[in-house]
């Protein structure tokens, strides 16, 4: 899928993740909307956001591209980033420029495989750009590196971001780097590796974690 003009505006630019889960101090769609505005004023070219409610509020505050997800736990299922068509349908109500999903081989609820899930999305929403890591997705993300069974011993920044270098070298789709890219120096280095864009989250938008580093 060809990158559309609005998504193209994040090319070689910073995307800021504005998320706060229910147990976190800043959990509020209103707060995430203002956080997105602050990120834009600081120079962010795009936003990554969780839930249709947060995305709708963010849309009121900024007019830059959004990567949308829904984090939801299902019993006996390891997949929690946009795991079913229910979450896809919710996101399509607010139409983020990109929808991101967990593209590990873990089964989705009701035993749905990744291949089956991808086919369901493409059948219902054939023109919606998707971000994941295989099967012809439009964007490849490194969000889950270190958090899955398949990658639990990996760290994205180890060995001068060797993993990102390998991904960029071996895939034909655009790579959006995310995960432990928590300083301006790291952002600059990763951008030099040829990624399409970079997402930074906790280092900018989770003050409880920023405070802990001090």
């Amino acid at each position: 899928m060809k990158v559309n003009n609005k998504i193209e505006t994040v090319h070689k630019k910073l995307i800021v993740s504005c998320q706060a889960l229910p147990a976190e101090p800043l959990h509020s769609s209103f707060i995430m909307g203002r956080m997105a505005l602050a990120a834009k004023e600081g120079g962010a070219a795009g936003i990554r956001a969780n839930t249709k409610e947060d995305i709708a509020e963010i849309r009121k505050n900024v007019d830059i591209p959004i990567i949308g997800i829904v984090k939801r736990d299902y019993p006996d299922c390891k997949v929690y980033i946009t795991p079913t068509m229910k979450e896809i349908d919710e996101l399509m109500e607010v139409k983020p420029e990109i929808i991101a999903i967990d593209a590990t081989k873990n089964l989705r609820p009701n035993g749905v495989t990744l291949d089956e899930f991808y086919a369901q999305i493409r059948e219902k929403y054939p023109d919606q750009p998707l971000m994941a890591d295989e099967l012809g997705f439009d964007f490849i993300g490194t969000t889950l590196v270190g958090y899955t069974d398949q990658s639990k011993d990996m760290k994205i920044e180890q060995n001068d971001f060797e993993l990102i270098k390998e991904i960029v070298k071996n895939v034909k789709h655009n790579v959006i780097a995310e995960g432990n890219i928590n300083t301006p120096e790291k952002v600059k280095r990763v951008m030099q590796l040829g990624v399409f864009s970079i997402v930074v989250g906790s280092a900018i938008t989770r003050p409880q974690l920023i405070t802990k580093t001090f």
Side-chain angles (χ1 to χ4, degrees), residues 64-133:
I64 54 181
I66 295 173
I67 299 173
I69 64 172
V70 177
K71 291 181 176 177
R72 185 167 289 149
D73 290 315
Y74 284 85
D76 302 318
C77 179
K78 294 181 179 180
V79 176
Y80 75 103
I81 295 180
T82 324
T84 75
M85 284 302 298
K86 173 180 169 64
E87 289 75 40
I88 297 290
D89 290 338
E90 289 175 9
L91 289 169
M92 289 305 295
E93 292 179 32
V94 289
K95 293 182 172 59
E97 279 67 31
I98 301 171
I99 289 178
I101 73 169
D102 175 333
T104 61
K105 290 295 186 180
N106 294 321
L107 294 178
R108 271 113 265 268
N110 299 316
V112 175
T113 67
L114 174 61
D115 301 67
E116 291 167 338
F117 184 41
Y118 176 82
Q120 290 171 2
I121 300 171
R122 283 298 190 214
E123 180 178 5
K124 191 168 186 180
Y125 304 111
D127 298 323
Q128 173 61 41
L130 301 172
M131 175 178 164
D133 66 4

Side-chain angles (χ1 to χ4, degrees), residues 28-34 52-62:
S28 158
S29 294
F30 173 79
I31 293 175
M32 289 302 103
R34 305 305 289 181
K52 66 177 184 180
E53 292 81 9
D54 282 11
I55 293 171
E57 184 63 28
I58 288 169
R59 288 266 194 234
K60 297 176 185 177
N61 288 271
V62 300

